[in-house]
Each structure stands twice: as structure tokens, then as C-alpha cells.
Amino acid sequence: MTETNNIDREFKFYSFERFKEECEKKIQIGLKIGVNAIDELFNIQCGYFGILQAPSGQGKSSFLNFIGSQMGLLHDWKTLYWSKEAEDFIQIKELVKLYSLDNDKEKALKLMSEHTLMVDEEISTLDDLLACITQAIEKHGVKLVILDNATNLESLMGYDISNEEKKELIEKLRDFAHVKHIAVLLAVHTTKLKQGEEQTANSGYGTIHYLNACDYMIGIKIEKNGLTKISTLKIRYSWLGLMREERHLGFNPHTLKYFDLDDQPKDGVDVIFEEEERRKRIAKKIMKKAVKISDDDEEYDVPF
């Protein structure tokens, strides 16, 4: 049994007035993305740290770009993107397409640039990244920070970092979101899943530290029918969303936008899926032709 020494300090406890003061504080209501299936599951709020988890190639970057653009279009938010997943010009082209409302590319580019910050230099340390985010908040009014992805983030601390260093990294990021009162979204890969295995909150890379630190965790997966399934894997507070719920979305590969299935005419959904199937068939034909050319040991230009 632990013995306590004589305490010569008078501790302060909550009085009725303090209880009442805290009880009367209003909970901040999060902002909607503009797609019912998403808004029913979770919302974006300043001061909270979220994780988007998915296997590689399941649309994490597309989903994060969509969220950032919707926050700009609907709520006039500025988003800072830090990503090493694709070359800058590719992400810029995708964001311009997401901000396009009437096929006016110049107008979309201007609208995108007013709501988007991207770092135009190399970030080599975690301290540099945090300083960059601070500057984006204080000088440019950024409210949402999107980091793609956790592996690239950890590389700022060197490769093969220890579990303790991972814990320190993710807790820094969480505390940064809370103290600076911004929304932070981090993309995280899952570990290798067995065939047919569903992802859970414990499936993510760096699981225990990421799971403990985040305020909410969202899973995303492309189903065999082409629909995108999103699910809430963790919700720390009830006002952030619904726990252990899932919804399905459509994705338009031409506009790069997600949509509610109920809001899209059935034939419109079919057209999108048919276009995807058409592209797959063309890709297979091109690959077969490429293999044949290689077998013949002759060089031709194959139009990809």
C-alpha cells in the first residue's frame, strides 16, 4: 500500500458554479461535406484529429481531395495539402477538376487556388512540417490540413523509427490539432488483409498508437460492384459521428466527385460503371498487344 506524505497544499475542486459553467458550454456542431451518406457518418470539425484508413489503391487520396474541395466550396475553408503520393501537377489537375462548376477551367483554377495551399519546397523534418502548418494557419487562415500519408510522415523522422518515436509523432500531431484548433486528416494504409477480411480499427499501419491518438477513424474500400464503402471504425465523441456504421457511395471518374446513390438516376450510375468497364477492356487489349509486340522482338509505339 502506497503511503502518502503530509500534504501542505489545499487542492481546488469543482464547485456548483463551476459545474454549471461547464455544463452550459455548447458543443460545436461539425460541418457537412454535402453528400448525405458521408454526413450521416461523420463531420469535419476544427480541433479534432481524424484518420482515413484503407488498403493501397482504394481511393484514399481521391476521397481526401474531395473532402478538401467540398469544404472550400461549401464553407469557404482553406486546406493545406502535404502529399508525396503523386506529383504536384497531378494533384493540382485533380483539384481543379473538383472545383469546376461550369466547365470553365480558368475559373476553376482561380477558385481552387483561393482555397488551396501546397508547399512549394521540400520538407525534410517533422519540425519543418509543423512550422509550415503553423505559418499556413496564422498567415493564410488554413482550417483543414490533409497529410497523405503516415508512411511519408514517419520518414521525416528517419526510417525504421521505434514504436516510442511513432507514438511521439502521432501524439504531437493530435495535440497540434487540438491546440491550434484546426481539423487534421491523415491517410493511413492498412496492414496486409487476407482475402475477404474486413478492415477494422486494428487493421491500420502503426495500429495502437494511431488508434489511441485519433478522435475518429474512417475506413474506405472499393467494392466489387464499383461502389465505395465508407465506415466509421472509431468515434471518440458522439457529436463527431456514428460509431460502427457504414454507407455506400457512387464515384464519378470524370468529375472525381462522390455522390449519394439515391440522388443519382439509375441510368446515370450505370453509365459510370459501363465507362469503367470499357476502360478496363481497352487496357486489357493494349496490354495483350504490348505483350505480342514484345514477343515478336519488334518495337512499335503502343498508344496508352
Side-chain angles (χ1 to χ4, degrees):
M1 185 174 178
T2 303
E3 294 184 3
T4 57
N5 298 323
N6 293 330
I7 299 174
D8 57 1
R9 171 185 168 187
E10 189 71 26
F11 287 90
K12 184 178 180 181
F13 298 97
Y14 267 74
S15 63
F16 173 77
E17 288 73 21
R18 283 285 288 121
F19 276 125
K20 185 178 180 182
E21 179 185 335
E22 291 297 312
C23 192
E24 288 178 350
K25 286 184 179 179
K26 293 184 178 180
I27 295 172
Q28 178 187 357
I29 302 300
L31 299 176
K32 296 184 177 181
I33 302 298
V35 178
N36 290 334
I38 300 175
D39 295 333
E40 289 171 2
L41 290 187
F42 72 99
N43 53 69
I44 304 295
Q45 295 193 36
C46 287
Y48 295 98
F49 171 49
I51 284 178
L52 179 68
Q53 174 189 284
S56 181
Q58 294 297 301
K60 290 189 300 297
S61 298
S62 296
F63 192 71
L64 289 173
N65 284 342
F66 176 70
I67 287 179
S69 65
Q70 288 295 104
M71 295 305 289
L73 289 169
L74 298 180
H75 307 294
D76 201 28
W77 273 29
K78 283 187 179 179
T79 297
L80 170 66
Y81 295 88
W82 183 77
S83 172
K84 298 175 74 175
E85 287 296 284
E87 293 188 64
D88 287 350
F89 81 93
I90 295 175
Q91 184 169 20
I92 290 168
K93 283 178 177 290
E94 291 186 355
L95 287 170
V96 169
K97 189 173 286 190
L98 284 164
Y99 275 94
S100 178
L101 302 176
D102 51 12
N103 294 320
D104 186 333
K105 185 176 179 180
E106 195 66 28
K107 184 178 177 181
L109 178 59
K110 186 175 187 301
L111 191 59
M112 183 277 291
S113 65
E114 290 172 349
H115 293 90
T116 302
L117 261 70
M118 291 176 63
V119 186
D120 195 16
E121 62 178 89
E122 191 68 27
I123 297 290
S124 56
T125 68
L126 178 62
D127 287 340
D128 281 348
L129 180 60
L130 295 180
C132 176
I133 295 173
T134 299
Q135 183 176 316
I137 296 166
E138 295 176 353
K139 291 191 175 182
H140 301 280
V142 159
K143 290 188 176 181
L144 172 61
V145 174
I146 290 178
L147 305 171
D148 192 4
N149 60 47
T151 307
N152 296 325
L153 189 65
E154 289 182 4
S155 71
L156 296 179
M157 296 182 70
Y159 292 96
D160 298 323
I161 64 175
S162 67
N163 280 332
E164 194 59 36
E165 287 173 318
K166 287 183 181 180
K167 180 182 178 183
E168 179 187 347
L169 164 67
I170 205 66
E171 287 180 349
K172 260 189 180 182
L173 204 56
R174 176 202 61 196
D175 294 345
F176 197 80
H178 294 175
V179 171
K180 296 294 184 181
H181 197 63
I182 58 167
V184 176
L185 280 173
L186 171 66
V188 174
H189 287 123
T190 60
T191 53
K192 190 173 182 180
L193 300 175
K194 297 178 181 178
Q195 187 174 2
E197 182 182 359
E198 291 291 331
Q199 61 175 313
T200 68
N202 295 310
S203 303
Y205 172 77
T207 298
I208 190 64
H209 302 312
Y210 287 80
L211 176 59
N212 288 343
C214 71
D215 295 306
Y216 59 95
M217 182 183 288
I218 308 300
I220 185 171
K221 178 185 177 184
I222 300 175
E223 305 275 63
K224 289 182 178 179
N225 60 5
L227 297 178
T228 297
K229 182 176 80 172
I230 56 171
S231 52
T232 48
L233 305 178
K234 174 188 174 178
I235 299 289
R236 188 184 298 277
Y237 306 111
S238 60
W239 58 84
L240 289 174
L242 300 176
M243 183 60 184
R244 295 190 181 91
E245 292 281 343
E246 62 182 47
R247 300 287 188 276
H248 285 86
L249 300 166
F251 176 72
N252 188 323
H254 304 299
T255 64
L256 304 181
K257 292 180 182 288
Y258 292 84
F259 58 85
D260 287 308
L261 299 180
D262 293 341
D263 293 343
Q264 186 80 2
K266 187 177 185 301
D267 57 351
V269 177
D270 291 340
V271 165
I272 292 170
F273 293 157
E274 286 171 9
E275 172 65 15
E276 285 296 283
E277 290 301 315
R278 186 185 71 82
R279 289 186 178 190
K280 289 178 184 177
R281 289 196 298 271
I282 291 174
K284 285 181 180 179
K285 287 180 181 179
I286 292 175
M287 291 306 296
K288 285 181 180 178
K289 187 176 180 181
V291 170
K292 185 178 185 304
I293 290 173
S294 176
D295 290 343
D296 292 342
D297 291 324
E298 295 181 22
E299 294 185 0
Y300 297 94
D301 289 331
V302 181
F304 281 91

